[in-house]
Amino acid sequence: MKSALLSLCVSATVCLLGTFAVAADSVTVTSLMSKDLPDYPGKEGLMISVEYAPGASDPIHTHDAHAFVYVLEGSIVMQVKGGEEVALSPGETWYEGPTDVHTVGRNASTSEPAKFIVVLLKNKGAPVLTPVE
């Protein structure tokens, strides 16, 4: 668990620093685009791609952002505190609000990878995620 948490935090930090990929254990996060939003002072849009290795999962966290997810490959399972687990397949979407606590984020498969795109609307310079204990 600590290894997964460290991996995700390192990956998220790298996303803030530039456009390149980083592989950390079982999750690969690639920053695809970052754009200031002049119509919304102090806000930015960030697009990332996330790839889960078979059986990979995220630690519990928040984004303090509007997060829009689009599944490209495989199947993922998502859940926010107070909500039900949702299995998503290619072409399906998911939304997470700034106050949501992301309790489940994992690859539904133990044999195939899963890949998805996330668009975050967040405060400029804010971290991509914050772990929750």
Side-chain angles (χ1 to χ4, degrees):
M1 172 85 165
K2 281 187 178 182
S3 175
L5 177 59
L6 177 60
S7 298
L8 195 55
C9 289
V10 167
S11 296
T13 301
V14 169
C15 283
L16 292 174
L17 299 177
T19 303
F20 52 91
V22 61
D25 287 338
S26 57
V27 178
T28 301
V29 178
T30 304
S31 178
L32 302 173
M33 174 187 213
S34 178
K35 183 76 173 160
D36 289 348
L37 302 173
D39 293 346
Y40 302 95
K43 302 290 184 182
E44 67 183 345
L46 176 65
M47 183 184 298
I48 60 175
S49 119
V50 179
E51 186 167 352
Y52 287 152
S57 64
D58 294 332
I60 297 172
H61 62 274
T62 62
H63 290 287
D64 192 25
H66 295 276
F68 299 86
V69 174
Y70 181 81
V71 181
L72 297 171
E73 300 172 13
S75 182
I76 61 175
V77 178
M78 298 289 186
Q79 180 180 25
V80 294
K81 187 174 184 177
E84 295 190 24
E85 280 191 8
V86 176
L88 303 166
S89 297
E92 294 187 306
T93 60
W94 166 263
Y95 169 78
E96 209 173 311
T99 60
D100 286 331
V101 176
H102 192 149
T103 55
V104 174
R106 65 178 168 84
N107 188 337
S109 174
T110 57
S111 60
E112 299 295 323
K115 186 173 184 179
F116 55 99
I117 299 293
V118 183
V119 175
L120 297 153
L121 301 177
K122 63 185 200 61
N123 291 329
K124 185 175 174 148
V128 172
L129 65 80
T130 303
V132 174
E133 302 248 349

